[in-house]
């Protein structure tokens, strides 16, 4: 959705200002150090002086909020009148609404309808049903576990809460016990979750969740655990995400930048204050150099890893303007592959043009298909120039009673009845590949490991596998950075993909080795 603010005279909306074709043009050239002159020139070109004067802001009919380059894309604010005039003009530019994309981690089930509305007096007399979340190995309390107790799963009725330092969580139920349709616990860093059906809970019960054991292979390790430490050597991979913790002992980040216009691009490529764990987890799937017993390797530990943070520290989505700038920087840094574990519903031209330009300059964009529950592939994965990745899982690679059990969905693979495409994964004719995306253990900020699911995880699994394949093709990597190079890299990737026996709309060409 476009960003809108209020002006004393008229509504003002934010757009990405682009040339009629591509991302750069002399039509966008801004006089050095003078966005006011550019704004005045645009106003004159569009015959908007009268509109600007009426707003008592003659220099701001077209206000530049941020500029990526002298002749490059710009984040601008325009009144509705100015926007309509520009669209009707022959100014050699176009306006693309500012939209936001979200990370492609699988959504968590939540209570939408409380089981009962209780008065303050009733709540004071009986404060609810208290349970304790504990470590199944040590018996110690677990803090930060999200407990979701459904009395009616279909109607998403029940109660939920997060465990405190004592492992305790109070659920707003009446009575000393409650029979649940489903008890879900999403574990904090270092723990698996829990999924129990038809569970009766009593006040004072202890419920255990299992700690992650790095010695036990998850689905990612089952498929790619045999890759050598030098896998991906000579290939550059950029992660466009929430930032990466370069201080993690198992991650080496060679460079990057922050692209968040609302923060003046400050703060660097490290993890964002909100949702910062996502980008670090994604990066570890690709390039972790960890070794057991304290660590876990990624698919291609030998790659040169770059981090481009596009999600703000305050949380919320990443704008198309910031994402296109990150893609441009990744191309400039000569990344061979760019991983975008993000998506949205809008068929946005700005990011599409950036992906097309990256392809024309020898860089492939691998993109998460989205997690809307077998809905159409989200954008930018749906664009032809993207490599769209769905999420697969395998029973037996996560605890049978973990929260990942809810991700199992038919049909089973023809090659292995334990394989499935996750119920949350988007699917459709745009899918190119599938990858491990259910119950994936990877790096987290602060030096630890945790489990996540989503096409966000399948995407870097495919990116890492693609990097390992390309590392074995030095002639392709040495090609001039143009469209032919991208086509040759894509041919290597597509030729290696192996069908798992799912319908094509679910797996595309299949999974990379």
């Amino acid at each position: 959705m476009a960003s809108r603010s209020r002006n004393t005279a008229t509504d003002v909306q934010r757009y990405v200002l682009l040339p009629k074709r591509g991302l750069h043009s002399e039509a966008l050239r801004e006089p050095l150090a003078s966005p006011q002159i550019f704004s005045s020139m645009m106003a004159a070109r569009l015959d908007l002086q009268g509109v600007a004067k009426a707003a008592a802001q003659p220099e701001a009919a077209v206000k530049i909020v941020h500029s990526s380059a002298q002749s490059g894309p710009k984040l601008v604010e325009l009144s509705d009148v100015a926007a309509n005039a520009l669209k009707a003009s022959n100014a050699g530019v176009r306006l693309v609404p500012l939209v936001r994309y979200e990370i492609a981690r699988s959504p968590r089930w939540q209570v939408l309808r409380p089981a009962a509305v209780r008065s303050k007096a009733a709540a004071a007399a009986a404060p609810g049903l208290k349970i304790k979340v504990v470590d199944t190995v040590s018996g110690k309390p677990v803090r930060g576990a999200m407990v979701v107790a459904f009395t009616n799963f279909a109607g998403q009725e029940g109660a939920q809460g997060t465990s405190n330092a004592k492992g305790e969580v109070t659920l707003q139920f009446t009575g000393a016990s409650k029979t649940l349709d489903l008890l879900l616990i999403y574990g904090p860093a270092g723990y698996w979750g829990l999924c129990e059906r038809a569970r009766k809970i009593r006040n004072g019960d202890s419920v255990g969740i299992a700690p992650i054991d790095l010695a036990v292979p998850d689905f990612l390790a089952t498929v790619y655990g045999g890759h050598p430490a030098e896998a991906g050597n000579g290939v550059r991979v950029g992660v466009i995400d929430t930032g990466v913790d370069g201080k993690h002992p198992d991650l080496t980040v060679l460079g990057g930048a922050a692209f968040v216009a609302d923060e003046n691009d400050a703060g660097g490529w490290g993890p964002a204050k909100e949702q910062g764990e996502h980008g670090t987890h994604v990066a570890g799937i690709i390039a972790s150099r960890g070794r057991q017993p304290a660590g876990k390797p990624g698919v291609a530990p030998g790659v040169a890893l770059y981090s481009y943070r596009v999600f703000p520290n305050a949380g919320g989505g990443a704008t198309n303007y910031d994402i296109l700038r990150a893609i441009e920087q990744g191309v400039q840094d000569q990344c061979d592959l760019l991983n975008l574990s993000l998506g949205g519903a809008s068929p946005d031209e700005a990011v599409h043009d950036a992906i097309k330009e990256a392809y024309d300059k020898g860089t492939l964009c691998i993109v998460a298909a989205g997690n809307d529950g077998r809905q159409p592939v989200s954008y930018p994965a749906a664009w032809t120039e993207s490599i769209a990745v769905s999420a697969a899982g395998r029973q037996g690679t996560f605890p049978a009673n973990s929260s990942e059990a809810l991700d199992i969905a038919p049909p089973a693979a023809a090659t292995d009845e334990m394989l499935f495409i996750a119920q949350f994964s988007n699917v459709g004719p745009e899918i190119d590949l599938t990858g491990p995306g259910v119950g994936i253990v990877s790096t987290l900020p602060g030096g630890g490991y945790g489990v996540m699911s989503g096409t966000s995880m399948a995407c870097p699994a495919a990116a890492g596998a693609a990097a390992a394949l390309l590392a074995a093709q030095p002639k392709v990597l040495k090609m001039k950075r143009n469209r032919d190079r991208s086509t040759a890299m894509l041919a290597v990737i597509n030729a290696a993909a192996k069908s798992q026996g799912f319908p094509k709309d679910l797996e595309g060409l299949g999974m990379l080795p």
Side-chain angles (χ1 to χ4, degrees), residues 194-439:
L194 181 72
C195 174
E196 291 190 352
R197 301 177 188 274
R199 167 73 186 255
K200 185 174 184 178
I201 57 173
R202 298 176 177 83
N203 192 50
D205 275 356
S206 290
V207 182
I209 58 175
I212 291 170
D213 183 351
L214 294 176
V216 178
D218 61 359
F219 188 26
L220 189 78
T222 300
V223 178
Y224 300 114
H227 280 194
E230 64 272 15
N233 190 30
V235 178
R236 295 188 180 191
V237 181
V239 174
I240 298 176
D241 212 289
T242 66
V244 178
D245 182 9
K247 295 180 181 179
H248 194 291
D250 296 337
L251 291 174
T252 299
V253 182
L254 296 186
F259 294 95
V260 184
D262 286 343
E263 298 174 354
N264 295 317
D265 295 343
W269 47 257
K273 293 179 181 178
E274 295 290 332
Q275 299 183 325
E277 70 278 0
H278 185 268
T280 301
H281 197 273
V282 165
I285 291 172
I286 298 169
S288 170
R289 299 180 179 184
R291 287 290 179 265
Q292 291 183 2
K296 176 178 180 286
V299 180
V303 302
L305 185 67
Y306 290 76
S307 170
Y308 306 105
R309 181 172 66 83
V310 294
F311 286 84
N313 278 305
T319 68
N320 51 347
Y321 176 71
D322 291 335
I323 293 169
L324 78 83
R325 293 191 297 134
I327 292 173
E328 283 201 296
Q329 186 62 51
V331 173
Q332 185 175 323
D333 289 339
Q334 297 193 328
C335 288
D336 304 294
L337 304 172
L338 293 174
N339 186 97
L340 290 88
S341 288
L342 49 80
S346 299
D348 163 56
E349 294 178 28
V351 172
H352 186 199
D353 281 357
I355 290 173
K356 287 192 291 185
E357 187 165 294
Y359 192 97
D360 289 342
K361 293 183 177 180
T363 298
L364 295 177
C365 292
I366 302 180
V367 190
N371 309 290
D372 302 305
R374 302 291 175 91
Q375 295 300 303
V377 174
S378 62
Y379 292 92
W383 296 120
T384 303
E385 296 81 5
S386 299
I387 299 175
V389 186
S390 67
R394 189 179 191 279
Q395 296 182 63
T397 62
F398 49 84
N401 66 343
S402 73
S403 50
E404 284 72 27
L406 286 181
D407 299 330
I408 301 169
T415 58
D416 182 349
E417 64 180 9
M418 303 298 279
L419 277 178
F420 59 92
I421 299 297
Q423 65 82 23
F424 57 73
S425 181
N426 288 350
V427 297
E430 300 87 357
I431 294 294
D432 296 297
L433 301 169
T434 193
V438 178

